[in-house]
Amino acid sequence: MRKQIAAANWKMNLTLAQGEKLMDEILATTFNMGANQQAIFAVPFPYLLTMQQKTVTQKNFFCAAQNCAAQKSGAYTGETSAEMLNSIRVEYVIIGHSERREYYNETDTILAKKVNIALENNVKPIFCCGEPLAIRETETQNVHIEEQLKAGLFHLSAAQIENFIIAYEPIWAIGTGRTASSAQAQEMHAHIRAVLSTKYGAAIADTISILYGGSVKAANAAEIFAEPDVDGGLVGGASLIPVEFTSIIQSLKK
Ligand code: 13P
């Protein structure tokens, strides 16, 4: 079975002390997670080493960076390379979050480079796609997502894409309290899997975990995750509240 994943995206929130308290409270919970279930914490860069040391001893728990540089190394002040992430054994990196695309002008070309450099350094990308409200309103979201997937991923080989993580995050549902219905999520996730299977075949597309992101919380996680093509969630606001995120982890399919 595909991996079922609850991924926390702390974004630019919490001090170190607040982050440690949150992580310690979550890790103190008994989850009885199955072999195919994971929790991933995308924390701010300054906390990665501390949080990685907390999760490394916990089966099924991992850390992620929220971004990485498109370049290998060199004179890029303020950037963090995939090689650096790998050197502190960070397993995952979010690439192409809508906030990075929108506020930091990360284009499809830049994102494709980031995917490559992450894979070269054995850091697994959590590749985000999603449409703004204007696209949803004209019902052209399927084409929009297909273009993002093609531009960001279709240069990869089947071996590289296997076990990939994709996050579908409708921008109109991020931090707005507005959630896609579970039917809307399922429809788009099935579309994403179909797009992937045109390039890589159904068997490989079937191994790829597709997470839903956009106002996931304890109260709606189980219903959304129950959809057959939804393999968990990428969670912003609710991941900052221990009882919310523990409940979201417990809502993953077995
Ligand atoms: P919210 O859960 O706060 O809507 O954020 C979603 C998101 O952007 C996760 O990456």
Side-chain angles (χ1 to χ4, degrees):
M1 193 196 190
R2 282 191 293 274
K3 284 200 185 92
Q4 303 296 306
I5 299 168
N9 181 6
W10 289 3
K11 306 191 181 181
M12 196 173 73
N13 291 297
L14 308 175
T15 62
L16 176 60
Q18 289 167 337
E20 286 201 272
K21 187 164 177 283
L22 170 61
M23 184 69 97
D24 291 345
E25 269 186 68
I26 293 167
L27 293 180
T29 309
T30 308
F31 288 104
N32 296 320
M33 287 167 83
N36 68 319
Q37 296 182 320
Q38 289 188 355
I40 300 176
F41 296 83
V43 306
F45 284 119
Y47 313 156
L48 267 173
L49 189 53
T50 305
M51 300 306 167
Q52 196 277 341
Q53 285 166 351
K54 287 181 190 288
T55 54
V56 75
T57 54
Q58 308 274 330
K59 214 167 140 242
N60 307 344
F61 283 72
F62 301 91
C63 278
Q66 297 175 13
N67 181 30
C68 70
Q71 299 82 8
K72 184 174 159 31
S73 64
Y76 299 100
T77 302
E79 290 292 300
T80 300
S81 71
E83 186 181 27
M84 292 171 186
L85 298 177
N86 181 249
S87 76
I88 59 164
R89 291 179 296 155
V90 166
E91 298 257 349
Y92 294 99
V93 58
I94 297 176
I95 294 178
H97 193 281
S98 60
E99 289 149 18
R100 301 289 321 171
R101 291 176 189 260
E102 186 181 345
Y103 307 144
Y104 302 96
N105 304 319
E106 293 196 356
T107 61
D108 289 330
T109 311
I110 293 171
L111 297 175
K113 278 191 197 158
K114 290 190 177 195
V115 166
N116 290 347
I117 204 130
L119 289 171
E120 275 165 28
N121 287 284
N122 296 316
V123 185
K124 299 183 195 100
I126 302 171
F127 183 82
C128 300
C129 57
E131 80 284 358
L133 187 58
I135 296 281
R136 174 65 60 171
E137 280 173 347
T138 54
E139 295 180 8
T140 52
Q141 65 271 17
N142 283 6
V143 178
H144 184 83
I145 299 298
E146 190 169 342
E147 282 168 359
Q148 287 182 331
L149 294 173
K150 284 184 173 163
L153 304 180
F154 269 30
H155 61 285
L156 299 175
S157 69
Q160 287 174 309
I161 202 92
E162 216 169 346
N163 298 314
F164 220 79
I165 301 176
I166 290 178
Y168 167 59
E169 300 205 305
I171 298 169
W172 46 272
I174 296 180
T176 58
R178 193 172 159 185
T179 323
S181 67
S182 49
Q184 282 174 320
Q186 168 56 25
E187 193 181 14
M188 181 56 83
H189 284 223
H191 173 64
I192 291 171
R193 211 176 295 290
V195 170
L196 294 169
S197 66
T198 60
K199 168 83 178 166
Y200 299 104
I204 291 199
D206 208 43
T207 67
I208 297 173
S209 299
I210 308 176
L211 315 186
Y212 169 79
S215 298
V216 173
K217 45 186 187 279
N220 60 21
E223 189 193 331
I224 298 171
F225 297 173
E227 294 292 342
D229 285 293
V230 178
D231 306 307
L234 179 56
V235 187
S239 76
L240 304 173
I241 305 164
V243 289
E244 282 283 319
F245 197 62
T246 49
S247 169
I248 290 167
I249 296 173
Q250 281 155 343
S251 303
L252 290 171
K253 280 198 282 277
K254 283 278 180 206

